[in-house]
Amino acid sequence: MKEQKTMDICLLGASGSVGESTLKVLRQFPDAFRLHSCSVHSNEDKAKAIIDEFSPQVLVVTSKKAKRTLGTRYKNSKIYYGEEALLDIVSATEVDIVVTAIVGSAGIFPTTKAIESGKKIAIANKETLVTFGPYINGLLQKHPVAMIPVDSEHNALFQLLEDRQGIDTLVLTASGGTFRDLPLEKFKDITLEQALKHPTWSMGPKITIDSAGMVNKGLEVIEAHFLFGFPYEKIEVVIHPESIVHGIVALQDGASLLYASHPDMIFPIAHSLFYPEKVPALLLERKAHTWGALHFRSPEAARYPALPLAYAAGKRSGTAPAIFNAANEEAVSQFIAGNIQFVHIPQLIDASLQGLEISDSPDLQGYLEADQNARQFVADRVKKGML
Ligand code: NDP
Ligand code: MG
């Protein structure tokens, strides 16, 4: 293999679930990648552990409290505070690859700055793509950087689509979440603790709740549209409870190609970091004989009302996907805070899409306003008990 330069990584959201899996890849390939810089929001313990192990040049904290307790310098690493500092680390000259593993649409400014600075991007932060898709795609036309999806389904599709002709439809697989077999009459009693258990993936709390109601798959349908340019009619979802097959491309002749792996984010992360090179070593032992039977079925609309809402928002376009995403982010926070029931989440998304004005071709400010308005709309409704 030809000698590669060690790539400098800027990892946003280093303390989260994707952040942790990314650090695992860096640990496995110390000659290929070095942690130049990273960010955490408030997790001081993880920040300290990362500094001790990886000695990044800069660590950015975005919550005031963590900044106070971490100080400004810790061993060999500088510690900076705030969103401006995120823009500085993603655009630092030394950085080759930016991994965006922040949760929520807060990822927008670092992502745009990374694109404008010509960095290769491994994008996990799907909320940014869903909210600002056309804006990001416009920026990518001006600054054609490589943006590799880390989301497992999209990473699988990205690999299946490479150098291939004659593809008709993209199929995203979905585990169906933790309530895939729960009788519908029990949905009103779902607790936070139950919603935080995922049957196959280990992930952060917000995406785990998103997965339970398939809001996550709705976000992913819109994400796939913006990443690959397929119309919504050509993006399908199939429930696959075992989470072994991550993406399917259906060919024009009626046959399909499938991408399969053990459900571990190490695969899409390593792929996106090494891209366009191939991952040069075994990541996890392939144990196809342990997969057992693989099942596929259609999602029922009554169980997953957020999925048709996502398709409708995607097809409506303009600020509708931003409203879908922000209403969900606020509703999930309200559910975590114990203010609403699980079943209220899709209802609040629906009410936001019905009740808020949708702008057809907004600029960046228009998307940001739509995002803020939807959060406010949901918060107000919850406060007034309009559920
Ligand atoms: P986690 O909740 O585990 O981690 C979120 C990260 O973002 C943490 O580092 C957190 O810091 C940081 N963060 C939280 N709020 C803010 C904020 N306002 N500003 C800056 N940073 C913030 O999430 P996941 O790792 O599960 O998910 C990250 C992203 O990747 C999401 O967009 C998700 O949809 C996507 N994704 C995740 C997958 C997974 O397997 N987990 C799979 C596919 C996509 P702190 O810990 O200090 O609070
Ligand atoms: Mg996914």
Side-chain angles (χ1 to χ4, degrees):
M1 208 183 103
K2 70 175 186 261
E3 215 27 56
Q4 293 280 330
K5 141 183 186 325
T6 303
M7 294 291 192
D8 275 297
I9 309 288
C10 171
L11 171 58
L12 304 180
S15 48
S17 167
V18 172
E20 211 162 88
S21 297
T22 306
L23 295 173
K24 241 194 234 176
V25 176
L26 267 50
R27 230 172 252 132
Q28 181 169 352
F29 299 101
D31 296 334
F33 308 113
R34 174 172 50 218
L35 188 68
H36 168 272
S37 45
C38 63
S39 81
V40 306
H41 187 54
S42 57
N43 193 327
E44 299 164 36
D45 292 342
K46 281 210 179 149
K48 286 179 188 161
I50 292 168
I51 291 174
D52 283 341
E53 182 177 357
F54 293 92
S55 299
Q57 289 188 23
V58 185
L59 181 140
V60 173
V61 291
T62 39
S63 89
K64 270 198 185 121
K65 189 181 143 279
K67 159 71 180 166
R68 270 198 304 275
T69 38
L70 279 167
T72 51
R73 190 171 269 279
Y74 188 88
K75 290 196 180 156
N76 300 321
S77 302
K78 290 177 195 145
I79 299 180
Y80 293 143
Y81 166 72
E83 279 152 30
E84 282 290 315
L86 291 180
L87 307 186
D88 293 339
I89 55 171
V90 298
S91 56
T93 341
E94 303 90 321
V95 167
D96 300 296
I97 307 173
V98 176
V99 182
T100 67
I102 284 179
V103 62
S105 57
I108 178 64
F109 292 113
T111 306
T112 52
K113 186 74 179 180
I115 296 172
E116 286 162 355
S117 311
K119 308 299 183 190
K120 176 180 142 182
I121 301 171
I123 184 160
N125 177 218
K126 69 186 80 176
E127 295 89 349
T128 286
L129 259 181
V130 170
T131 305
F132 305 97
Y135 178 77
I136 301 238
N137 280 341
L139 265 190
L140 285 171
Q141 291 203 329
K142 264 198 249 162
H143 309 272
V145 300
M147 190 164 82
I148 325 299
V150 166
D151 209 344
S152 55
E153 298 79 0
H154 304 73
N155 185 271
L157 292 171
F158 182 92
Q159 296 194 49
L160 289 168
L161 285 167
E162 257 188 311
D163 303 324
R164 236 179 273 277
Q165 306 287 317
I167 290 165
D168 181 70
T169 298
L170 305 181
V171 185
L172 298 158
T173 54
S175 69
T178 195
F179 307 126
R180 61 192 174 206
D181 299 315
L182 189 76
L184 291 182
E185 62 275 13
K186 296 208 168 146
F187 267 54
K188 61 179 186 336
D189 304 320
I190 287 171
T191 63
L192 175 60
E193 201 188 0
Q194 288 171 319
L196 285 173
K197 281 196 191 116
H198 195 281
T200 46
W201 290 95
S202 158
M203 309 184 287
K206 190 241 170 200
I207 185 175
T208 304
I209 295 169
D210 287 351
S211 298
M214 264 180 123
V215 171
N216 181 51
K217 212 49 56 180
L219 294 171
E220 292 188 355
V221 165
I222 302 172
E223 182 187 11
H225 170 77
F226 288 132
L227 281 170
F228 305 119
F230 276 60
Y232 287 99
E233 295 73 22
K234 295 287 178 186
I235 303 174
E236 289 176 5
V237 170
V238 65
I239 292 191
H240 165 49
E242 294 82 14
S243 299
I244 295 292
V245 173
H246 306 295
I248 302 172
V249 293
L251 305 174
Q252 283 161 354
D253 65 3
S256 297
L257 302 168
L258 283 65
Y259 173 102
S261 76
H262 184 76
D264 192 313
M265 288 303 289
I266 197 166
F267 288 102
I269 292 170
H271 167 268
S272 58
L273 292 184
F274 275 103
Y275 181 86
E277 303 296 326
K278 300 290 174 214
V279 178
L282 184 71
L283 295 171
L284 277 178
E285 203 66 55
R286 185 175 54 83
K287 292 183 189 150
H289 59 282
T290 64
W291 291 349
L294 301 181
H295 299 85
F296 300 89
R297 65 175 195 251
S298 292
E300 317 144 56
R303 183 174 297 274
Y304 304 111
L307 192 56
L309 288 176
Y311 272 100
K315 287 180 186 166
R316 175 64 184 81
S317 75
T319 50
I323 294 172
F324 178 93
N325 176 70
N328 174 60
E329 282 192 31
E330 180 61 30
V332 170
S333 305
Q334 297 278 356
F335 175 61
I336 291 175
N339 300 335
I340 61 169
Q341 292 173 16
F342 181 76
V343 287
H344 293 137
I345 298 174
Q347 292 169 11
L348 286 163
I349 298 174
D350 193 13
S352 306
L353 286 164
Q354 303 283 342
L356 288 166
E357 201 179 313
I358 294 166
S359 151
D360 284 323
S361 42
D363 55 9
L364 179 58
Q365 194 53 35
Y367 288 115
L368 290 166
E369 276 168 19
D371 176 284
Q372 283 309 315
N373 291 343
R375 285 168 205 272
Q376 196 58 52
F377 182 89
V378 169
D380 287 347
R381 261 183 112 91
V382 174
K383 212 167 170 187
K384 292 179 190 151
M386 291 168 70
L387 300 164

